[in-house]
Structures are given as structure tokens and as C-alpha cells.
Amino acid sequence: MRTRPLKVALLGCGVVGSEVARIMTTHADDLAARIGAPVELAGVAVRRPSRVREGIDPALVTTDATALVKRGDIDVVVEVIGGIEPARSLITTAFEYGASVVSANKALLAQDGAALHAAAEEHGEDLYYEAAVAGAIPLIRPLRESLAGDKVNRVLGIVNGTTNFILDKMDSTGAGYQEALDEATALGYAEADPTADVEAFDAAAKAAILAGIAFHTRVRLDDVYREGMTEVTSADFVSAREMGCTIKLLAICERAADGASVTARVHPAMIPLSHPLASVRGAYNAVFVESDAAGQLMFYGPGAGGAPTASAVLGDLVAVCRNRLSGATGPGESAYAALPVSPMGDVVTRYHISLDVADKPGVLAQVATVFAEHGVSIDTVRQQGRLDGSGEASLVVVTHRASDASLTGTVEALRKLDTVRGVASIMRVEGE
């Protein structure tokens, strides 16, 4: 074993960073044995140096992150500060000064992954980011290494624990959205401002990363269709149960049937109770991968939290340090396929549409005619009158597979019918 330690700079020492530092210290001997050399925490860049950080030598703490990565003796920079800047500049500077990088920064990788990979390649360094998607779940490495000889056709997953907790609570207790969100906040699953989670920005960034790796194609955050879950209601869950389904916020990355394009999207969807993802409860994550040779694979586990995310960071750290000792680098960006990313209008799936209609003869015929005129085939229809004397009824239509564009045109036409009082909800049906 080499006695000279590999030096690690830690950028950020919050929930994840503090766990990384703790594990590096408490598991130092094991890490050294696995790597073939000891690893040394050479510096920790933070915004508030006066804060007490248990187990970290105060002499290592600095507010000058740029100076830390420019030292020239740093072997690996671990970036867990998040956001776009200064993280982007610090990572590229680290490459320039001879350090490899381990990052958990999903937003930055989804936006500028191609440029970061190019910078790493230019300087002969590694860029690893297992912790950027699904916390502790080994997912990035299996996709870009274990399945490198296979053809991945679909990645379908629950990649945000906060939203899964909320939807699971709504399903299991009948709670409304706000009530479930309040409980998630009280338990620490949701931030004070939950927008990134509930409006699916977080999941969309992860979908961009997954699609890029799975399909060997550059997929940016702007390429991902995003729809949040704030409009999901208790009534939607009632409808889902009547179909033998539940509702999940899903990240879906698909290769077109002809193999000529890909799609990436995040939105709430009904999923059959028989599908493995339907049983994912609480704040857990799970990702379902479908490929030609391996078939169907499922990855499941805690998708967030200090210790789980730090586990993924440390796994990358070990891999990068091993590469450094051997004078090699791991896999970089694979974008050779360069497939176009199709717009959401081209996506084909099933739909569950709930309409408020006049409770009188002929309404169903009118609605069915509109669907037919737009080339959308109906699978099932259920109409139920109301007992409140309003003269209205609920009409639920479940379609066969149709494109998003054709369904959009159908709904616009339905709104123009005098007998349609309103469109109560539209939900995609996935996971068949």
C-alpha cells in the first residue's frame, strides 16, 4: 500500500458534506485498504466558518473555496454545495489544477454536464456523480458501466422522496395535498419552500441525467417535459383505485419504437397496483430499467438524506482514488448516439380524463364523437349522475394509447361543447 495519502478537498459541509467527512474519518482504515492508499481530508470550504463542525479540525475550514481547489496538491475535490455557481467554476478550476471531481450536483449536471465532461477529458481527470440521482441507490454506475454492452429502452422511476411521501400519504389516508405536504414539512421531508420538489424541477434534472446516460445522447434540463403534482386531488386517487391503480410522480425516459429518437418527461401518472413501482412507499425512491438483454431491472432504496447520499459520494471517491493510483480515468460522457429529443406532443400513452357534464341523453355520444374526430380511441367510459340536484354528472373516459398532441386537441374541443361543464382532471396512465 502506498503510504503517501491522497488529498481530498470538500466543498460544502452541510447535511451531506458533514456525513462525508465523518465517514472519511471513522472508516479511514477500511477506505485505505480498499483504495490502496490512505485518504486525507485536506480542506473544507464553507460559508459560515464560525459554526461548530464536530469531528472536523477547525484548521481545515476555509471560506476561500477557490484557493482550496487551486492548491495544486489536491487529488480529488468533492462538491456538495449544489446550485450552478460557484459550483461550476470551482469544478472546472479543480480540473485545471489537476484534481478529479466527485459531485452530487444534479442541477448543474443536468444543465452543463456536457461542458463539465469536456473539461474533465481535456485535463485527463475523472467526473463522477452517483449521488446526483436517487441518493444511495447504485444507479449511475450500473447504467454507464454494467449495462454498457446492452441497449436500454426505458427508464421509469420515482426519483424524489418528498413527492412520493406526499402522494403515498394522500393514497393511504385520504388526506388532501396541502395536509400531506404539511406533514412532510413537519417530518423534515419537505423544505420550507418545496417548489423544487412538488413542481418537479428536482426530478426533471435527474431525468435529464438518466436519459443522457441510458441513451448515449446529450439531454439537457430544457429537453425534459415537466409537470408538477400540486393539482393532484383526493378525487384523483379515488378514480385511480377504481382502475386498480395508484398515483406516482414519475420520471420517464424512453427510446422511440423505431430507435430514432428519445423522450424525457416528469409528471404525475396513474400506475397499476401490479407494477413494482406502485408498492414504493414513504420517502423511498425506485427506478425501473428495461433493456434488450438484461430485461427488467429495479433499483430501490433511500433517495435522499445525509448518510445515504454520503454513501454514494464515498463510493465514487473510492473509484476515483483507485483510478488515480493506477494512472487511469473512468468512463466519461458517452453521447455518440446523438439522438434527437422528441417534444412532449409526440409522446404516446394512455389517458384518464374526468369531465363534468350535463346529466341528459346524448352527452356520451357527443363526447365520443369528439374523441373520434381527433383520432383518439376510447378504452372505457363511466358516467355517474349526482344526487345533489345540480343536473350534472361525472363522465370518466380512459383512452387507448394516444399522442399528447392529439389528446390536447381533443380536450380543447371538449371544452367547447355546451354539455361539458368542465374538465375536472387529466392524468396519464403508465407502467403497462
Side-chain angles (χ1 to χ4, degrees):
M1 178 186 293
R2 193 181 87 165
T3 57
R4 183 170 63 83
L6 292 160
K7 294 188 177 182
V8 178
L10 179 61
L11 308 183
C13 198
V15 174
V16 176
S18 59
E19 280 296 311
V20 170
R22 182 188 67 79
I23 295 172
M24 285 184 64
T25 301
T26 58
H27 295 181
D29 292 342
D30 286 338
L31 290 173
R34 295 166 191 171
I35 292 169
V39 289
E40 173 189 310
L41 188 59
V44 182
V46 299
R47 286 185 297 176
R48 295 182 289 274
S50 60
R51 181 177 170 186
V52 176
R53 292 171 173 85
E54 186 177 348
I56 297 177
D57 183 352
L60 297 178
V61 177
T62 178
T63 57
D64 194 342
T66 302
L68 178 60
V69 300
K70 283 184 174 181
R71 275 178 35 171
D73 64 338
I74 299 298
D75 292 287
V76 184
V77 169
V78 175
E79 183 272 308
V80 288
I81 56 178
I84 306 302
E85 287 291 355
R88 174 171 48 198
S89 297
L90 291 170
I91 289 174
T92 54
T93 300
F95 293 143
E96 293 168 6
Y97 281 78
S100 290
V101 173
V102 173
S103 176
N105 196 330
K106 53 188 170 287
L108 177 58
L109 288 159
Q111 179 171 307
D112 288 320
L116 295 178
H117 275 293
E121 183 177 1
E122 177 186 354
H123 296 284
E125 304 296 343
D126 273 325
L127 173 62
Y128 275 54
Y129 43 91
E130 184 67 64
V133 180
I137 304 172
L139 185 58
I140 300 298
R141 194 171 289 116
L143 279 175
R144 73 175 184 174
E145 296 182 35
S146 303
L147 295 174
D150 205 345
K151 179 183 178 184
V152 176
N153 296 310
R154 195 177 197 222
V155 179
L156 174 75
I158 298 164
V159 295
N160 184 280
T162 299
T163 54
N164 199 59
F165 177 89
I166 293 170
L167 292 173
D168 182 43
K169 186 62 61 173
M170 293 175 69
D171 187 23
S172 61
T173 69
Y177 166 76
Q178 189 61 50
E179 183 183 351
L181 172 60
D182 290 344
E183 182 171 350
T185 304
L187 292 172
Y189 291 126
E191 301 287 345
D193 180 1
T195 302
D197 294 323
V198 300
E199 293 294 353
F201 290 101
D202 174 87
K206 295 171 182 176
I209 295 169
L210 291 174
I213 296 171
F215 306 133
H216 305 280
T217 291
R218 287 179 179 170
V219 179
R220 289 171 50 88
L221 181 58
D222 291 344
D223 295 322
V224 181
Y225 172 82
R226 177 191 57 80
E227 183 181 320
M229 49 158 283
T230 56
E231 300 301 317
V232 177
T233 67
S234 300
D236 291 326
F237 277 99
V238 172
S239 295
R241 282 192 289 273
E242 291 174 348
M243 288 182 59
C245 293
T246 188
I247 298 171
K248 299 291 186 182
L249 183 74
L250 298 177
I252 305 168
C253 312
E254 292 180 306
R255 188 189 300 268
D258 61 4
S261 64
V262 299
T263 58
R265 51 198 166 99
V266 176
H267 53 71
M270 293 182 180
I271 188 167
L273 294 175
S274 58
H275 194 282
L277 291 178
S279 62
V280 178
R281 310 301 297 272
Y284 275 73
N285 284 190
V287 177
F288 203 71
V289 178
E290 300 174 10
S291 67
D292 276 0
Q296 297 180 333
L297 305 170
M298 183 165 163
F299 301 84
Y300 170 85
T309 306
S311 171
V313 170
L314 267 295
D316 278 351
L317 179 63
V318 169
V320 169
C321 287
R322 285 173 175 169
N323 290 344
R324 203 161 185 87
L325 289 179
S326 66
T329 55
E333 182 188 33
S334 176
Y336 73 89
L339 297 171
V341 182
S342 296
M344 187 62 187
D346 293 346
V347 170
V348 175
T349 188
R350 294 176 67 204
Y351 290 86
H352 176 283
I353 305 101
S354 180
L355 305 172
D356 295 326
V357 300
D359 189 6
K360 62 181 183 180
V363 173
L364 179 56
Q366 288 183 326
V367 169
T369 298
V370 170
F371 276 87
E373 289 173 346
H374 289 80
V376 179
S377 177
I378 294 175
D379 182 14
T380 62
V381 178
R382 185 179 70 257
Q383 183 171 345
Q384 183 175 350
R386 297 175 183 170
L387 302 178
D388 58 4
S390 63
E392 295 185 359
S394 296
L395 180 63
V396 174
V397 178
V398 180
T399 73
H400 286 292
R401 294 176 65 82
S403 71
D404 188 82
S406 63
L407 196 283
T408 299
T410 302
V411 172
E412 289 176 355
L414 287 171
R415 294 183 191 276
K416 296 177 182 178
L417 293 178
D418 292 339
T419 52
V420 174
R421 308 299 191 224
V423 179
S425 69
I426 302 171
M427 186 83 62
R428 296 171 183 87
V429 183
E430 302 284 351
E432 297 172 273

